Amino acid sequence: MISFAFYLAFLLIFVVFAVYAERKTAAFIQNRLGPMEVGPKGILQTVADLLKMLQKEDIRASAVDIIPYLLAPFIVFAAVFTGFAVLPVNADLSGSTITSGVFFLLAIVSLDVLGILMAGWASNNKYSLYGAMRSVAQIISYEVPLGLSVLCVIIISGTLDLHQMSVLQSGGILSWYIISHPVLIIPFFIFFISGLAESNRTPFDLPESESELIGGYHTEYSGFRWGIFMLSEYGMMLLLSILASILFFGGWNSPMEKIANGPIWSTFWLLSKSLLLIFVQMWVRWTLPRLRVDQLMSLSWKYLTPISIVMLFVCALWKLWLIG
Amino acid sequence: MSYLGNISQGIQTTWKGMMLSIQYFFQARKGRKKESVTEDNYFEKANGTFTVQYPHEQIPVPDHGRYQLHNEIDDCIVCDKCAKVCPVDCIDIEPVRSPEVFGQTSDGTPLRIHAAKFDIDMAKCCFCGLCTVVCPTECLTMTKEFDFSTNDILDHNFSFSKMTDQEIAEKKQEFEDYQADKLKAKPELPAIKKESDVMKKPAAKPVFKPRIPKKK
Amino acid sequence: MIITVQIFLLMMVLAGVGIILFTRNIVHAAYALCLTLLGIAGVYVLVMSELLAVVQIMLYAGGVVILLAFGVMMTNRLRGEKVLSGSNNKWIGRIISVGVFAGLCYLISISPFQTTSVEKNEDQIAQIGVSFLTDHIVAFELIAFVLLVALVGAAYLAKNAADE
Ligand code: SF4
Ligand code: SF4
């Protein structure tokens, strides 16, 4: 419960500064300055934007299917945020102790598709519906490699509980899974790529491509409801980054054995690993162009899925022969 | 291309792109120096952030910048050439003729026409500079002032005439009286011919002054 | 605490069922089905069958319902009119549904369900896994085979569509 409350507060603060970081990263990669006016170096720009957004009128087109339209943003956010329930914060705050931890997380997060579909359908707008359709096709496709790459880690660790998994990786950087079990390097990349697709981030942002679909499934939303969609997207990024750092990078364990291990330090390690991964996500966003729909599908079904099945097999052999 | 070839190409190109953009990310620590376009290495600054924080920082504009138009109205002989040559018709002149030469421009051309109205609508101007080329007295010039954005587009219409309404009315009256006097003096001549006569007066021809390119 | 959760889940399931029964809008019915399935997943959690609950969410709520909604949206002409369903064959439908209901009630009443509460079992997943690969190996392999056939079939169909 405490970890859940912690993540709620952290998510809200994170989103404000992640949007700022995103804009600054974009600016620096494009030889620009980015937001500079509000606050020192523009750090309060998102706060100002947030205030503006909250004051906006809640516009509802007359042809929308009103109940699903109003519910959709909250379903998306609830689905994404429920995933945080099983994440540990540090050695003492373990999150919800359900035995099927990471499996639960993947299941509940896949429900956000429902909200997206609802938003796209209820908006009664062809762009929104296109966006929603693309999003669903994409998320369902990429759930396969995502799940398989998580399964590789589960085979090695022998547990579904994320807290347990972090405990197993304690003892310095050398016992992090990606270093102690190098076969997990390829599953990590598959996880990362599918994670980008799951959170609808560039280069897999076809569902909301501004240039073709004017925002996709959230075209018809304004003000606070739109903000909730934005919050969920960043929540998804954070969730997948924290998950990646727990699965592959030792979770809340410090890179040095016996140094910097207190509860605050562990929290710091977990979050800084995740934020680093989020930076990589932003870096990818401003580097790679958007994929075409057929490329998207062939990447998932022809490349990532077969490779992750092979890696699953390799991981099983690794577990059998090397760990015993 | 083979399956594995596709994979390796994908990895290589992604890696290359990612390395390229991270270079830019780190180069962004360097800001841009506020150098004018006349500096020697102006076009060699591909690295670092390129934009400046405009109202607070500005890149110096060279003196021969081709931005806002300025008319030195005292030197304008109201020949209407600039208005005629302007491709977008943004110069609006209302001439009021004077019975006699009432002054001299700084290059010695006699002044015969008052500019009751000399408006340049900078909202329409395409900054081609043709008007400054044809201007015989070189009173119409382009300046280095470029920041003249306004809240109301009508404010982009710059007015250069210094005459008040009263003066305009006075001058108009003066010319009408003069015309009427002339008609009285020579009633047999039609007024139209009279007018073209005035226009043909050789003294109204502007003095030709070659433009000497400034050397540094 | 538990009783509140029970009431909440009951309301969730009933609301879902009620919407499915009385709405004529198929898309709303699909969403309501999802609500019901989530409520049932909650019931599984209350009876200590956590893995089943997660499977329910993943496969039914996250998979089947979404495909259902997807299908409804794709197959209907998207011309602005609402996707409504009428009711036909009312009497035959009633007879069949009462029959199915009675049959299910009978089956449930004769099945040897465990009615006492079970303790939370930490090793549930491991046990299920082990029993899949020992006691129920034939069923497990058979299902895997059926899924493989379905996958190959889907790929074949997609290929044909692309060629033409
Ligand atoms: S610069 Fe060109 S467009 Fe502008 S006023 Fe002169 S002639 Fe007209
Ligand atoms: S061309 Fe020059 S002198 Fe003639 S009216 Fe225009 S500004 Fe005046």
Side-chain angles (χ1 to χ4, degrees):
Chain A
M1 204 61 195
I2 300 173
S3 70
F4 204 47
F6 167 79
Y7 276 122
L8 182 60
F10 180 71
L11 178 63
L12 295 176
I13 298 167
F14 161 77
V15 169
V16 172
F17 292 100
V19 173
Y20 172 74
E22 174 107 57
R23 293 167 73 173
K24 276 293 192 192
T25 312
F28 290 157
I29 286 179
Q30 298 166 347
N31 273 356
R32 294 184 288 116
L33 284 166
M36 288 293 274
E37 285 296 312
V38 190
K41 297 275 174 191
I43 192 139
L44 296 177
Q45 181 65 49
T46 332
V47 179
D49 289 349
L50 201 70
L51 289 178
K52 184 200 76 171
M53 199 177 72
L54 291 183
Q55 291 169 31
K56 273 194 174 174
E57 188 187 348
D58 180 23
I59 299 169
R60 301 170 196 175
S62 58
V64 298
D65 191 352
I66 194 74
I67 296 171
Y69 175 82
L70 296 184
L71 277 180
F74 304 104
I75 289 180
V76 175
F77 182 68
V80 170
F81 193 64
T82 315
F84 282 89
V86 292
L87 295 181
V89 180
N90 55 37
D92 306 326
L93 284 177
S94 67
S96 176
T97 53
I98 56 178
T99 45
S100 52
V102 62
F103 190 31
F104 169 79
L105 191 151
L106 292 181
I108 202 83
V109 164
S110 72
L111 278 185
D112 81 329
V113 173
L114 198 77
I116 289 176
L117 200 56
M118 218 179 210
W121 173 260
S123 297
N124 209 345
N125 170 333
K126 59 186 164 199
Y127 296 114
S128 303
L129 191 58
Y130 267 130
M133 293 282 178
R134 285 181 179 188
S135 168
V136 174
Q138 167 180 331
I139 292 182
I140 288 180
S141 307
Y142 279 84
E143 235 158 50
V144 178
L146 186 82
L148 288 172
S149 54
V150 171
L151 218 52
C152 293
V153 184
I154 292 172
I155 284 184
I156 301 249
S157 69
T159 175
L160 285 169
D161 189 343
L162 290 167
H163 188 253
Q164 190 63 31
M165 233 178 248
S166 316
V167 172
L168 286 175
Q169 297 179 66
S170 57
I173 192 166
L174 290 178
S175 36
W176 295 1
Y177 276 154
I178 200 152
I179 290 169
S180 62
H181 302 288
V183 324
L184 287 178
I185 291 176
I186 296 177
F188 167 68
F189 281 103
I190 294 175
F191 179 90
F192 186 78
I193 295 170
S194 325
L196 283 179
E198 287 279 301
S199 44
N200 291 334
R201 298 271 307 171
T202 326
F204 307 105
D205 66 337
L206 295 100
E208 37 190 274
S209 41
E210 288 94 347
S211 46
E212 311 165 28
L213 296 181
I214 328 150
Y217 54 86
H218 51 60
T219 301
E220 293 291 342
Y221 286 87
S222 64
F224 188 65
R225 283 175 212 282
W226 181 83
I228 299 277
F229 275 120
M230 209 62 194
L231 193 66
S232 325
E233 187 184 318
Y234 278 85
M236 190 77 172
M237 280 167 71
L238 184 65
L239 181 71
L240 287 164
S241 303
I242 294 181
L243 191 58
S245 47
I246 293 172
L247 292 178
F248 301 96
F249 297 99
W252 34 255
N253 288 302
S254 128
M256 290 91 42
E257 199 181 359
K258 302 207 177 74
I259 301 175
N261 269 324
I264 297 185
W265 272 111
S266 345
T267 316
F268 168 77
W269 289 121
L270 178 68
L271 295 181
S272 51
K273 286 169 195 170
S274 325
L275 293 181
L276 201 66
L277 284 173
I278 283 174
F279 170 70
V280 178
Q281 288 186 341
M282 292 174 177
W283 171 21
V284 168
R285 173 168 180 183
W286 298 107
T287 305
L288 301 178
R290 184 183 305 138
L291 267 67
R292 250 178 9 231
V293 181
D294 62 321
Q295 292 170 333
L296 181 89
M297 287 297 156
S298 70
L299 178 64
S300 170
W301 292 111
K302 289 190 192 157
Y303 295 93
L304 295 184
T305 307
I307 294 173
S308 53
I309 291 175
V310 170
M311 285 323 292
L312 193 65
F313 186 64
V314 173
C315 286
L317 292 183
W318 177 277
K319 169 90 173 175
L320 271 181
W321 291 340
L322 287 176
I323 307 175
Chain B
M1 193 178 271
S2 68
Y3 185 77
L4 291 177
N6 273 335
I7 296 178
S8 86
Q9 196 199 26
I11 294 172
Q12 277 169 18
T13 49
T14 309
W15 174 258
K16 199 167 176 187
M18 297 288 281
M19 285 304 119
L20 197 69
S21 56
I22 200 73
Q23 266 174 18
Y24 279 93
F25 185 82
F26 285 114
Q27 279 166 4
R29 284 168 303 162
K30 275 181 283 167
R32 181 180 181 180
K33 286 200 206 77
K34 277 84 218 163
E35 282 171 342
S36 160
V37 68
T38 47
E39 303 288 323
D40 283 343
N41 59 348
Y42 181 78
F43 292 104
E44 286 155 23
K45 288 177 296 186
N47 302 336
T49 50
F50 191 75
T51 48
V52 293
Q53 274 195 280
Y54 167 62
H56 314 304
E57 303 169 349
Q58 290 190 21
I59 295 187
V61 181
D63 285 339
H64 49 271
R66 292 174 31 137
Y67 302 106
Q68 193 185 333
L69 286 162
H70 174 75
N71 186 12
E72 196 59 48
I73 197 72
D74 292 336
D75 282 352
C76 175
I77 56 172
V78 201
C79 65
D80 209 31
K81 279 193 174 173
C82 53
K84 285 210 180 69
V85 80
C86 177
V88 291
D89 279 346
C90 59
I91 305 181
D92 190 6
I93 299 177
E94 190 191 331
V96 173
R97 273 180 292 160
S98 138
E100 72 270 334
V101 174
F102 61 85
Q104 249 191 357
T105 64
S106 50
D107 65 353
T109 319
L111 282 170
R112 296 172 167 275
I113 312 177
H114 299 283
K117 182 161 133 198
F118 195 106
D119 286 0
I120 302 183
D121 192 347
M122 294 306 289
K124 288 191 209 157
C125 176
C126 66
F127 300 95
C128 61
L130 289 175
C131 52
T132 60
V133 177
V134 296
C135 180
T137 61
E138 287 206 338
C139 63
L140 191 58
T141 49
M142 290 184 121
T143 61
K144 61 185 242 178
E145 177 62 38
F146 59 92
D147 183 6
F148 47 93
S149 53
T150 55
N151 287 325
D152 185 357
I153 195 164
L154 294 180
D155 293 343
H156 261 168
N157 192 8
F158 290 90
S159 184
F160 292 101
S161 170
K162 285 193 288 197
M163 294 170 84
T164 60
D165 285 349
Q166 198 196 346
E167 266 176 340
I168 293 171
E170 240 169 52
K171 299 292 180 203
K172 274 187 181 162
Q173 192 58 45
E174 204 173 281
F175 189 69
E176 266 165 35
D177 292 349
Y178 167 74
Q179 207 78 327
D181 287 350
K182 258 195 172 171
L183 272 179
K184 255 182 236 157
K186 296 177 180 172
E188 67 277 5
L189 275 175
I192 296 166
K193 255 192 181 170
K194 195 74 222 157
E195 216 158 78
S196 57
D197 226 26
V198 175
M199 293 294 271
K200 266 186 213 156
K201 285 209 166 148
K205 256 206 176 153
V207 180
F208 173 73
K209 190 181 165 205
R211 290 166 69 91
I212 303 152
K214 280 173 207 148
K215 272 184 205 139
K216 284 225 162 151
Chain C
M1 180 65 190
I2 288 292
I3 190 83
T4 330
V5 176
Q6 281 169 345
I7 292 172
F8 178 74
L9 289 175
L10 188 71
M11 276 165 50
M12 203 162 148
V13 174
L14 287 183
V17 171
I19 297 174
I20 297 172
L21 280 182
F22 295 111
T23 185
R24 291 183 58 224
N25 189 324
I26 302 179
V27 179
H28 289 185
Y31 293 140
L33 182 62
C34 186
L35 188 70
T36 313
L37 292 173
L38 285 178
I40 294 174
V43 175
Y44 289 155
V45 171
L46 286 188
V47 296
M48 300 291 165
S49 192
E50 195 186 284
L51 187 70
L52 200 58
V54 175
V55 170
Q56 163 102 351
I57 295 175
M58 189 156 213
L59 293 187
Y60 285 95
V64 173
V65 171
I66 286 170
L67 285 185
L68 204 75
F70 208 53
V72 170
M73 291 172 191
M74 289 290 250
T75 48
N76 276 281
R77 293 155 300 158
L78 305 175
R79 289 221 194 103
E81 70 257 45
K82 292 223 166 78
V83 192
L84 299 177
S85 65
S87 31
N88 302 313
N89 300 335
K90 285 189 190 167
W91 277 108
I92 300 176
R94 276 170 208 172
I95 292 167
I96 292 176
S97 47
V98 169
V100 170
F101 184 68
L104 281 177
C105 285
Y106 174 70
L107 277 181
I108 290 171
S109 68
I110 62 164
S111 301
F113 280 119
Q114 193 173 13
T115 45
T116 52
S117 68
V118 280
E119 286 305 305
K120 185 170 178 181
N121 191 345
E122 290 294 337
D123 259 356
Q124 209 179 28
I125 299 166
Q127 281 174 10
I128 290 176
V130 168
S131 68
F132 262 149
L133 289 174
T134 53
D135 297 349
H136 304 290
I137 182 80
V138 178
F140 185 69
E141 290 296 329
L142 218 58
I143 292 170
F145 185 69
V146 169
L147 286 179
L148 186 68
V149 169
L151 204 65
V152 172
Y156 178 73
L157 288 179
K159 181 174 170 284
N160 260 6
D163 284 349
E164 274 156 25

